[in-house]
Amino acid sequence: MTKGTTGATGTTGTTGAGTERPPHEAAVAGDRAAVLEALAGSRLFVLVARLHADTPGFTPPLLVQPDPATPGRMCVTVLTSGALPPWHPDWVFEAIGLDELGRRWPPGARWLTVDPGTPYAVTLDAGPGKRRAWAKAQARSGGPRTGRLLTLGTGPLHGPAAHGLAVGAHLAVHNGLVWNALGAAYEGYATDRSRLRNPWGVHDRATYRKTLESLLAARLVGRTYESVLRIRQGLAGRLGRTPTAPEWSAALTDALARHRSGPEEAADAHEALRLAVTYEDRFRADGVLGAGERVDTLTAFDHGRAVNLVRLALGARLCDPEEAEQAVLRIGARARQAYGSWAEFSLGYSLARVMHVDADDPSGATYAQSLAQHRLLTRDPRSPYRNLAWS
């Protein structure tokens, strides 16, 4: 793994794809091509009145304003995620790429300013020829990279809030977002709202709170999966060791018979056992689960997704920062009750993820992703799992 700094305001990151060069460093070095490459691979945001953002079919024009560093110079301003101002109920931030900036460029503006008023500010000439290069840079980059561990230097790094946010680190890494922020935007106002609608079916505060409570209670991870793991946990308590797969299967068959389960329910339960055995064996072969060790609960999956839900709701203005922080604290507390360490939590999340998508992922890509994310979070010295005490 190589370590680097990305974004414009002290966001540190770890990635397997090489070290990125921040825009301001490339600008200081006079490397215009590197500036464009860095911006094309960064998450950029523009300020929008929430009233305009909520108006169907309306795309507000980009705001043109004076450059605070150069009087008389008119600029369009974009911000990186680390430079966003505090959350406000009536002002939101939409994600935008260099290509879209070029398409929507307003008359009367000749300059693009990134993070003005910060030590990392960058100003680019935005003449017609320059803007054509923006689209090419965006196409080459493919947009912001995912699979990265990103930490916001101004976000919570210690204490209960940081612990609760770290519960959602798997999804933050998966999406290439900072793990330790409760701020003005998550992925962007429109995207945050869309991700709440699909897959969560969240359209308003009431459905958000109902879904959050379901995730806090771990009601969405799968009753069958949890009950099958509990049968093994109970058997392990009686045997004083982790049962073998045949012992577990026999105990499951007995439990299903006692409860007079139907054929379909029994088939689902034995399939859950098969998936758990298969993936735990793979984790052992890859050195992240020891011989005789096991995963007793998959609640980490719901708790991790709950943090993501809270951050989406905050970005979509379905809750405020105080409510979001209280929710994150509750999630962290629930996770601590279910697991004894970050490593146990991470394995619970990883196992749940691969079990849920097994039938839809014959390529094995999800397993490889989950294994890489677990290793990154439990081994990288910058990870919150290495720097925050579990209890």
Side-chain angles (χ1 to χ4, degrees):
M1 294 290 180
T2 55
K3 301 178 182 65
T5 304
T6 182
T9 56
T11 303
T12 59
T14 302
T15 174
T19 302
E20 297 179 352
R21 193 177 191 184
H24 67 280
E25 288 186 5
V28 169
D31 191 340
R32 178 177 173 275
V35 172
L36 289 182
E37 181 182 353
L39 289 175
S42 299
R43 294 184 184 275
L44 304 176
F45 299 88
V46 290
L47 177 68
V48 179
R50 184 178 171 189
L51 176 64
H52 292 165
D54 287 341
T55 302
F58 176 64
T59 301
L62 297 173
L63 180 65
V64 180
Q65 55 192 127
D67 183 351
T70 308
R73 178 184 285 178
M74 301 304 292
C75 299
V76 170
T77 295
V78 297
L79 301 175
T80 58
S81 56
L84 295 176
W87 185 94
H88 190 284
D90 298 322
W91 292 94
V92 299
F93 289 88
E94 292 287 16
I96 194 166
L98 285 178
D99 51 350
E100 186 179 354
L101 272 172
R103 289 193 300 270
R104 292 173 53 189
W105 195 258
R110 180 59 190 264
W111 302 92
L112 173 68
T113 300
V114 183
D115 295 343
T118 75
Y120 310 98
V122 174
T123 300
L124 297 179
D125 185 345
K130 306 295 185 182
R131 297 200 300 272
R132 285 194 289 272
W134 295 0
K136 294 178 181 177
Q138 191 72 44
R140 286 194 304 270
S141 76
R145 294 180 180 88
T146 58
R148 300 183 298 168
L149 173 61
L150 299 174
T151 299
L152 186 65
T154 55
L157 298 171
H158 307 285
H163 189 287
L165 286 169
V167 168
H170 280 267
L171 273 168
V173 167
H174 181 73
N175 293 317
L177 300 164
V178 296
W179 66 268
N180 64 327
L182 283 174
Y186 190 34
E187 294 188 68
Y189 182 68
T191 304
D192 294 346
R193 295 182 68 196
S194 176
R195 289 191 183 276
L196 285 171
R197 290 192 296 268
N198 183 20
W200 293 112
V202 169
H203 299 270
D204 52 33
R205 289 177 180 265
T207 51
Y208 156 64
R209 289 169 178 163
K210 181 179 179 180
T211 305
L212 176 61
E213 292 303 319
S214 293
L215 288 167
L216 275 164
R219 289 197 291 264
L220 303 183
V221 71
R223 181 179 63 85
T224 298
Y225 289 173
E226 279 293 284
S227 63
V228 168
L229 291 179
R230 281 198 299 269
I231 287 169
R232 180 177 60 173
Q233 185 181 23
L235 180 59
R238 295 192 296 272
L239 295 175
R241 58 172 172 80
T242 296
T244 64
E247 289 172 335
W248 184 13
S249 181
L252 175 59
T253 299
D254 289 344
L256 292 167
R258 287 196 305 273
H259 290 92
R260 298 182 180 180
S261 302
E264 184 175 349
E265 184 179 354
D268 288 343
H270 280 286
E271 174 63 6
L273 186 151
R274 184 194 69 81
L275 289 171
V277 169
T278 297
Y279 285 113
E280 284 186 339
D281 283 347
R282 293 187 69 177
F283 284 142
R284 290 189 188 95
D286 285 316
V288 296
L289 187 65
E293 294 180 348
R294 62 184 186 272
V295 176
D296 284 336
T297 177
L298 306 178
T299 56
F301 195 53
D302 275 2
H303 295 152
R305 293 187 296 170
V307 174
N308 186 63
L309 183 81
V310 170
R311 296 181 68 184
L312 287 169
L314 183 62
R317 302 312 189 259
L318 295 186
C319 65
D320 60 35
E322 182 178 358
E323 184 181 353
E325 182 174 353
Q326 290 303 310
V328 165
L329 293 176
R330 291 178 64 200
I331 296 165
R334 292 290 179 91
R336 286 194 297 273
Q337 292 172 358
Y339 296 93
S341 68
W342 283 116
E344 289 181 13
F345 170 85
S346 184
L347 281 169
Y349 182 96
S350 301
L351 180 60
R353 182 172 183 243
V354 293
M355 287 177 67
H356 273 276
V357 301
D358 175 84
D360 300 321
D361 183 43
S363 70
T366 299
Y367 176 80
Q369 285 180 345
S370 298
L371 178 64
Q373 290 166 14
H374 172 76
R375 284 175 167 165
L376 179 62
L377 285 166
T378 56
R379 297 180 181 180
D380 190 279
R382 298 188 187 189
S383 168
Y385 292 9
R386 297 288 300 277
N387 292 288
L388 287 167
W390 176 254
S391 58

